[in-house]
Amino acid sequence: MAAVMELQELFNGILVQDLSEELSGFFATNLFTFGGKQFSIGSMVEILIQVVIVLVISNLTKQILKQRVFPGFGINVGTRESLSTIVSYVVTIIGFFIVIETTGINLSSLTVFAGAIGIGFGIGLQNITSNFISGITLLFEQPVKVGDYIEVDQMAGIVEEISIRCTTIRTINGVYVIVPNSRFLDNSVVNWSYREPECRLVIPVSVVDESDSLTVMEALLAAPRQEPRVLTSPSPEVYFKGLDVENSMLKFELLVWIERPIEMDSIKSALYFLIESEFRDRDLDTKAAPNDITLNDLPTIVQLFQKTEPQNGSTAPVLQSEKPISGWLLRDLLRKVSYFQHCSDVELRQVIEKGYRRKLSAGEVIARENDPGDSFYLILSGAVEVVVESIDRQVAVRRAGEFIGEMSLLLGTPRSATLRTIEDTILFVVDHSNLQSLLSSHGELADQIAEELSQRQETLKSLGVTVMEATKEETQFDVIRKRIRSIFDL
């Protein structure tokens, strides 16, 4: 039995030795000579393993820099991606040179070969070479970064990845598009995220030429105030672009600012819905009148005659019942305020551009005590109570034509009282930046506000609320007027 086991072990040893010799001979088989060095199968396997190790190290370096190192320096996502990609390419190139050196290849003998390869790349691989150089340019100059919202070749989307040959873009429809890097240098690229993310949207609108331009402007300015994605500063603007003679239409443009360009289509849609609603509330027509009257227009003609049909034999047209005050135009409400009642339409247009109308129900809080002052309010209708909550006392009731909320905004102090509606109220709201422009064009309004504010200071002082103290040389009115003119650079 022992003899049998010895024979078996001897046989196994011979097999292993033969197999080892065969494998050694297989890996030692010469394949070719390159750069003064003979390459066998074994040396090629060794080189392949080294190349894999270099690629793994390069990828790990990129991930560590992008996810752990660069975030600690406060670098934005796009710059982190570019820097980590560049470093990974440098590591890869250095690693390849190390692998070549370890194989014993004589690099000087590769000069002619490298030149020939370069000519081949230049002639046969022009597009690849162009994309490669473009990719290096994009990574170093960073006109486009990962995370940017861009438009190129009539295609819009977010940059997901910038590689050495191409860039991956995810469109707003969720489709991934591979774009060669040369496209970004050969064509004009719109980068909505470059430097500042804010951008301006232009909404063209046309109405029939019989429409009142001031009413149209009021409606267009009211719409963006209801869309939270539209920035309040810079404030929306309306441009009158002229008359479309052929179609008998007035052309306007609503200009608004947003900070998320990728949502521009959604915001435009929301604004058009709001504009349509505002136009309907003001009986503004966006449909051009027909040039020719045909039999199909007979129902419309009948309706037009019915609107002006006299009653009881009278020749006067039938007048529509007066609208409730909530449906009045903003210019009509402003004219009920003593200061604006003699303003022309042009002057009222300048005022309406600086603010917006806000409707509130009874019991709504407009501003809280100790809140920062960010808006100035003019009561157009209704009533507002002024309550000092710290002493639980109502100090005043303000009605149509009066100012509220001006003290903290004009003096740069927290609000000294809470403002609450006691009936349905309509306010004209002006924020800090627009108030400066308004007061600059209406200096008398600043003096009127200063006079009203000086009277209210006396009331608050009697209640123990901190107010501005006048000096012996100046009255309370002089101190407040000087402060207002200083704050708003009037």
Side-chain angles (χ1 to χ4, degrees):
M1 187 68 180
V4 173
M5 293 181 62
E6 289 179 0
L7 288 174
Q8 186 175 1
E9 289 178 359
L10 180 61
F11 179 73
N12 291 337
I14 293 173
L15 287 178
V16 171
Q17 183 176 2
D18 291 342
L19 181 61
S20 176
E21 290 178 354
E22 289 181 3
L23 288 176
S24 298
F26 174 76
F27 284 111
T29 303
N30 291 328
L31 296 177
F32 56 87
T33 301
F34 182 76
K37 173 73 175 179
Q38 288 187 345
F39 287 88
S40 62
I41 295 178
S43 61
M44 290 301 298
V45 171
E46 182 181 354
I47 291 174
L48 180 61
I49 293 174
Q50 292 176 347
V51 169
V52 171
I53 293 174
V54 168
L55 294 177
V56 170
I57 293 175
S58 174
N59 186 61
L60 286 176
T61 303
K62 177 179 179 179
Q63 297 303 323
I64 292 174
L65 290 176
K66 182 172 63 174
Q67 299 177 6
R68 299 184 180 182
V69 178
F70 290 148
F73 292 95
I75 302 175
N76 61 56
V77 176
T79 304
R80 291 204 302 262
E81 184 74 26
S82 297
L83 291 178
S84 58
T85 302
I86 292 172
V87 172
S88 68
Y89 288 152
V90 171
V91 171
T92 302
I93 294 172
I94 294 175
F96 282 158
F97 275 110
I98 293 175
V99 170
I100 292 174
E101 285 289 342
T102 56
T103 58
I105 298 176
N106 185 4
L107 295 178
S108 60
S109 63
L110 298 178
T111 305
V112 177
F113 179 79
I117 292 294
I119 294 175
F121 271 101
I123 297 176
L125 303 175
Q126 292 182 8
N127 291 335
I128 295 179
T129 304
S130 175
N131 290 325
F132 179 85
I133 296 175
S134 299
I136 295 295
T137 303
L138 290 176
L139 291 173
F140 275 98
E141 293 187 357
Q142 297 187 20
V144 174
K145 302 188 297 295
V146 172
D148 287 354
Y149 180 68
I150 66 171
E151 287 186 27
V152 59
D153 289 345
Q154 298 182 344
M155 176 187 62
I158 298 176
V159 178
E160 293 288 330
E161 181 183 3
I162 301 177
S163 66
I164 204 66
R165 189 193 67 84
C166 59
T167 296
T168 304
I169 297 176
R170 176 170 55 86
T171 68
I172 57 177
N173 296 322
V175 178
Y176 287 86
V177 182
I178 310 300
V179 181
N181 288 330
S182 59
R183 295 278 187 88
F184 295 95
L185 300 183
D186 296 339
N187 302 308
S188 297
V189 179
V190 178
N191 189 344
W192 294 96
S193 305
Y194 191 69
R195 294 185 179 177
E196 298 295 335
E198 291 85 3
C199 66
R200 191 170 71 173
L201 295 184
V202 178
I203 312 294
V205 178
S206 296
V207 296
V208 296
D209 57 2
E210 296 178 355
S211 303
D212 179 68
S213 60
L214 191 58
T215 305
V216 175
M217 188 193 73
E218 178 188 334
L220 291 177
L221 289 176
R225 297 288 182 178
Q226 304 171 53
E227 173 52 53
R229 292 173 294 180
V230 173
L231 299 179
T232 57
S233 181
S235 58
E237 296 179 278
V238 173
Y239 288 173
F240 184 20
K241 303 298 289 185
L243 175 65
D244 183 354
V245 180
E246 182 179 352
N247 298 312
S248 299
M249 304 288 283
L250 301 178
K251 298 187 296 182
F252 294 84
E253 284 184 354
L254 171 63
L255 292 81
V256 300
W257 288 85
I258 63 174
E259 60 182 356
R260 289 187 57 81
I262 192 174
E263 297 180 1
M264 66 173 62
D265 289 338
S266 172
I267 296 174
K268 281 184 177 180
S269 175
L271 287 175
Y272 275 123
F273 275 116
L274 293 169
I275 290 171
E276 190 273 336
S277 176
E278 294 293 333
F279 277 14
R280 195 181 333 111
D281 291 344
R282 293 168 174 80
D283 296 327
L284 291 171
D285 191 2
T286 59
K287 298 179 181 178
N291 294 325
D292 300 317
I293 298 178
T294 63
L295 189 59
N296 294 332
D297 298 311
L298 187 59
T300 303
I301 298 174
V302 173
Q303 291 179 7
L304 290 174
F305 277 108
Q306 287 177 345
K307 288 183 180 180
T308 57
E309 184 180 357
Q311 294 180 346
N312 301 326
S314 172
T315 58
V318 178
L319 298 178
Q320 296 181 351
S321 60
E322 186 176 354
K323 288 185 178 181
I325 196 168
S326 61
W328 285 23
L329 298 176
L330 182 54
R331 66 174 174 184
D332 297 328
L333 290 171
L334 285 172
R335 280 207 169 102
K336 294 176 70 67
V337 179
S338 59
Y339 179 79
F340 298 112
Q341 62 185 204
H342 299 297
C343 288
S344 65
D345 282 354
V346 174
E347 292 172 325
L348 282 178
R349 178 180 63 80
Q350 295 172 349
V351 174
I352 292 173
E353 285 180 334
K354 308 306 177 186
Y356 60 97
R357 174 168 46 179
R358 180 181 174 189
K359 299 179 182 179
L360 301 101
S361 302
E364 286 194 56
V365 175
I366 302 170
R368 287 284 185 189
E369 185 177 339
N370 296 321
D371 284 350
D374 56 0
S375 297
F376 164 82
Y377 307 97
L378 173 60
I379 303 176
L380 300 178
S381 70
V384 176
E385 64 174 347
V386 183
V387 180
V388 179
E389 294 184 338
S390 57
I391 59 175
D392 192 22
R393 181 174 174 181
Q394 182 192 80
V395 297
V397 174
R398 306 297 179 193
R399 300 191 178 276
E402 295 188 81
F403 308 110
I404 56 174
E406 76 286 349
M407 187 176 298
S408 60
L409 182 60
L410 298 177
L411 303 182
T413 59
R415 296 201 182 277
S416 56
T418 295
L419 306 175
R420 184 187 299 113
T421 59
I422 55 178
E423 58 184 69
D424 291 349
T425 302
I426 300 177
L427 302 176
F428 181 64
V429 187
V430 184
D431 58 29
H432 184 278
S433 59
N434 284 322
L435 182 59
Q436 179 176 11
S437 177
L438 179 63
L439 295 182
S440 297
S441 57
H442 295 270
E444 300 85 354
L445 179 60
D447 291 341
Q448 183 176 336
I449 294 174
E451 182 177 355
E452 179 69 23
L453 191 55
S454 63
Q455 297 174 3
R456 297 181 185 180
Q457 291 264 90
E458 295 296 334
T459 302
L460 292 174
K461 184 178 179 181
S462 65
L463 296 173
V465 178
T466 303
V467 297
M468 294 181 59
E469 294 292 344
T471 63
K472 294 181 179 180
E473 295 79 10
E474 296 177 311
T475 64
Q476 193 86 40
F477 170 76
D478 293 331
V479 173
I480 294 175
R481 181 171 63 175
K482 183 182 294 184
R483 180 69 181 274
I484 291 175
R485 293 185 178 278
S486 173
I487 291 177
F488 293 97
D489 194 23
L490 302 179

